[in-house]
Amino acid sequence: QKEVEQNSGPLSVPEGAIASLNCTYSDRGSQSFFWYRQYSGKSPELIMFIYSNGDKEDGRFTAQLNKASQYVSLLIRDSQPSDSATYLCAAYYGKLTFGQGTILTVHP
Amino acid sequence: ETGVTQSPTHLIKTRGQQVTLRCSSQSGHNTVSWYQQALGQGPQFIFQYYREEENGRGNFPPRFSGLQFPNYSSELNVNALELDDSALYLCASSLTADYGYTFGSGTRLTVV
């Protein structure tokens, strides 16, 4: 079982829709969780982090954490073509462990 | 405040050679970690340094080694390069890891 697993993509949504990205992790000791965005040919860029159960909102982005279910998600509201990228989920427990990424395409 | 900088940006090496990649951490960040990212995959943790000491290592062979200097900059050395070492190598730094790491722009290594 992979330590951090993301829902298989690619994911395609129309402009203005909600994009939902999901991630599960296996290590219950994981303390913090991160969502990174990576444009093609570029390095990962941190967009959200969460360490408490529940929701955390930042603009159009909402991260959700459920430690009992070992589940993290990212919702992107009012998706824009500029949101098209690979989204990486990562868990931290002494080191960052990444999932394989989900490719999101937002089409006009 | 400068971000994380890596050099060189691109590199082509021959199988069997050795390579050194460099990273300057963001100002004030005392933790540096290195990742290997193959095409279409998430970054894989290589190792991490905190105040010049290695404090974590991923599933990479000993020919991958590193250093962190007193100014918190870092090097990644890879000996006896193999074709499968071709990847994007990312350096990331952090002051408080719980709040995330900042990544450099990466070094694209091609082994031929």
Side-chain angles (χ1 to χ4, degrees):
Chain A
Q1 181 188 8
K2 292 181 182 177
E3 294 182 48
V4 177
E5 195 148 2
Q6 298 186 234
N7 55 323
S8 58
L11 179 64
S12 180
V13 301
E15 185 174 356
I18 296 175
S20 177
L21 303 158
N22 304 313
C23 172
T24 57
Y25 61 95
S26 60
D27 190 341
R28 287 194 175 274
S30 298
Q31 301 159 315
S32 304
F33 304 88
F34 304 90
W35 285 99
Y36 283 85
R37 177 176 62 200
Q38 187 173 28
Y39 292 114
S40 182
K42 303 294 185 182
S43 61
E45 171 194 11
L46 180 66
I47 52 174
M48 291 283 289
F49 71 89
I50 187 167
Y51 50 84
S52 298
N53 275 328
D55 295 358
K56 179 181 179 181
E57 188 173 318
D58 184 1
R60 296 186 295 112
F61 299 95
T62 299
Q64 299 173 317
L65 173 60
N66 184 325
K67 290 187 178 181
S69 302
Q70 296 174 251
Y71 176 87
V72 192
S73 67
L74 179 70
L75 299 177
I76 306 174
R77 291 181 301 281
D78 189 24
S79 295
Q80 300 298 308
S82 59
D83 294 327
S84 299
T86 297
Y87 288 79
L88 297 162
C89 172
Y92 176 76
Y93 184 38
K95 65 177 184 180
L96 270 185
T97 301
F98 284 88
Q100 73 274 30
T102 299
I103 298 172
L104 171 66
T105 302
V106 181
H107 54 87
Chain B
E1 178 182 280
T2 57
V4 179
T5 58
Q6 292 186 242
S7 63
T9 52
H10 294 86
L11 202 52
I12 299 175
K13 289 286 190 178
T14 303
R15 189 172 51 182
Q17 286 188 313
Q18 178 265 342
V19 68
T20 297
L21 310 182
R22 295 180 174 83
C23 171
S24 293
S25 61
Q26 186 166 323
S27 178
H29 285 189
N30 53 26
T31 300
V32 173
S33 53
W34 286 90
Y35 300 82
Q36 180 194 68
Q37 188 175 25
L39 205 59
Q41 302 294 316
Q44 297 295 308
F45 176 75
I46 302 175
F47 44 60
Q48 178 169 279
Y49 285 85
Y50 172 69
R51 295 187 175 183
E52 302 178 62
E53 296 289 328
E54 185 181 293
N55 74 341
R57 188 176 181 92
N59 189 24
F60 281 80
R63 58 190 185 83
F64 286 78
S65 63
L67 281 174
Q68 187 181 30
F69 300 100
N71 66 355
Y72 301 141
S73 65
S74 179
E75 285 183 355
L76 163 66
N77 299 289
V78 187
N79 294 322
L81 284 166
E82 301 177 359
L83 297 178
D84 283 349
D85 296 333
S86 296
L88 179 67
Y89 287 84
L90 295 161
C91 169
S93 72
S94 174
L95 177 60
T96 306
D98 281 359
Y99 294 93
Y101 287 71
T102 302
F103 280 82
S105 55
T107 295
R108 173 73 61 185
L109 173 65
T110 302
V111 183
V112 297

